[in-house]
Amino acid sequence: MREEIDLIAVDDGVEVYLEDTGPLEAPAIVVLHGGPGSSSYILREGLEEYLEGFRVIYFDQRGGGRSPALPEEPGLFTIDALVSDLFHLRDHLGLNTWTLLAHGFGAVPALEYARRSPATTERLVLINPWTNFPWLARQLYRASLALRGVDEDVELPEDGTRLLQEAFATVEPKAAFDRLLFPSQHSRMEYEWLAEGSTVVGADTPGRMFVLNGLWRLDYTPYVLEVRSATSVLVGTLDASSYPEAQTVADLVGGRLELLEGAGHYPWIDQPYAFEEALQSALSG
């Protein structure tokens, strides 16, 4: 299979790590990982066999994964910067149009790109999207209460940043996220086995800078109404970081919603056959 690996310049002297795979003449898909500050490695490991026949572009967003580290300057880590990088990336590859396939946090730059450039967006495929971060903060807060054996039926602060500060004051962030993302110990262990085997250890600078920029106060939902591209939302019903909030995205954009019963945040791990069917349906329109 054809594969080209490169570092490409996007904007303001920033470079991103890129893996361009598959037939050059095939329909193009760009894969947007979550995080912020994560890597495309896990997505390629999980999705590659389902995307045969497409030209698939995996890249590590600025400052994360295998992309060069960036200084701790909040201005370098904004949604606008991530979207600008996508425009530069498409120009570099010489693509007139492409499909954006996004997971978790990657849904926000994917949706914003499609909102700004519908003519170059063939379609959107959003897997367990995160778009309402105050809602996600409330979910993490509830998870922290459950881990401490505290009654979850309590009045919650409105501010997402304050919620996280209170949630993580006594509970490790990973423990709260794990409670939301993984429906079983098996799926968590399989994910961690893949992650540890990747040897990709990116800086946590993107995550910290997005927090400073107010990420946990961002509810992107109102902007979804302005997205006109064909959209499919695939969501695991056991992913408490995305379900049921992800249904709102499908409703507002007038898109297709595929509920994957028994699946968590990484549905190809939990329900590979159901996920494959849903993904193929989403890509074929």
Side-chain angles (χ1 to χ4, degrees):
M1 181 184 71
R2 185 192 68 87
E3 176 183 57
E4 297 179 18
I5 298 176
D6 201 359
L7 284 176
I8 69 161
V10 282
D11 200 8
D12 298 328
V14 174
E15 292 183 318
V16 296
Y17 173 87
L18 172 73
E19 296 176 350
D20 183 359
T21 71
L24 283 171
E25 69 279 4
I29 298 174
V30 61
V31 176
L32 283 79
H33 63 74
S38 186
S39 162
S40 61
Y41 178 88
I42 294 295
L43 290 183
R44 182 168 182 181
E45 286 290 302
L47 302 179
E48 187 170 31
E49 65 178 282
Y50 303 127
L51 299 178
E52 290 184 5
F54 290 93
R55 180 182 181 183
V56 187
I57 297 97
Y58 303 93
F59 79 105
D60 292 356
Q61 295 163 27
R62 57 168 53 210
R66 293 153 293 187
S67 292
L70 295 177
E72 296 197 2
E73 297 179 9
L76 293 174
F77 299 97
T78 64
I79 303 302
D80 282 343
L82 295 181
V83 173
S84 176
D85 291 349
L86 286 170
F87 280 97
H88 283 279
L89 178 59
R90 185 178 58 78
D91 287 344
H92 171 81
L93 296 170
L95 297 172
N96 293 322
T97 62
W98 57 9
T99 289
L100 293 95
L101 190 158
H103 180 246
F105 168 80
V108 172
L111 284 161
E112 182 61 12
Y113 175 92
R115 187 176 76 90
R116 299 184 190 185
S117 187
T120 65
T121 304
E122 288 283 345
R123 64 182 65 250
L124 288 166
V125 179
L126 309 179
I127 304 172
N128 292 59
W130 292 354
T131 55
N132 184 340
F133 292 90
W135 179 87
L136 176 55
R138 288 193 291 275
Q139 294 294 92
L140 288 163
Y141 186 84
R142 292 189 179 97
S144 74
L145 294 178
L147 288 167
R148 288 180 283 152
V150 178
D151 184 2
E152 296 183 38
D153 188 20
V154 296
E155 184 175 351
L156 303 182
E158 290 294 325
D159 184 86
T161 302
R162 181 185 165 195
L163 276 168
L164 288 192
Q165 290 171 343
E166 294 187 12
F168 298 157
T170 54
V171 171
E172 285 292 322
K174 182 181 183 304
F177 273 104
D178 284 354
R179 185 176 179 88
L180 299 185
L181 302 182
F182 300 106
S184 69
Q185 185 178 11
H186 168 76
S187 62
R188 179 184 62 79
M189 291 177 66
E190 184 166 344
Y191 168 81
E192 290 179 350
W193 179 78
L194 287 171
E196 290 171 3
S198 73
T199 69
V200 178
V201 182
D204 60 357
T205 303
R208 291 201 307 274
M209 295 303 99
F210 271 100
V211 169
L212 288 176
N213 283 331
L215 174 67
W216 292 99
R217 298 185 180 94
L218 171 64
D219 178 3
Y220 188 81
T221 307
Y223 299 97
V224 173
L225 286 165
E226 301 175 17
V227 175
R228 296 290 180 262
S229 303
T231 303
S232 294
V233 178
L234 284 57
V235 59
T237 59
L238 297 184
D239 176 17
S241 77
S242 182
Y243 181 79
E245 179 65 17
Q247 295 179 124
T248 303
V249 177
D251 290 342
L252 292 179
V253 79
R256 161 188 269 158
L257 175 67
E258 295 281 358
L259 297 179
L260 301 171
E261 301 291 340
H265 195 60
Y266 303 91
W268 55 88
I269 291 178
D270 302 310
Q271 299 292 338
Y273 300 113
F275 173 76
E276 178 179 17
E277 183 177 351
L279 181 60
Q280 296 302 331
S281 178
L283 292 174
S284 67

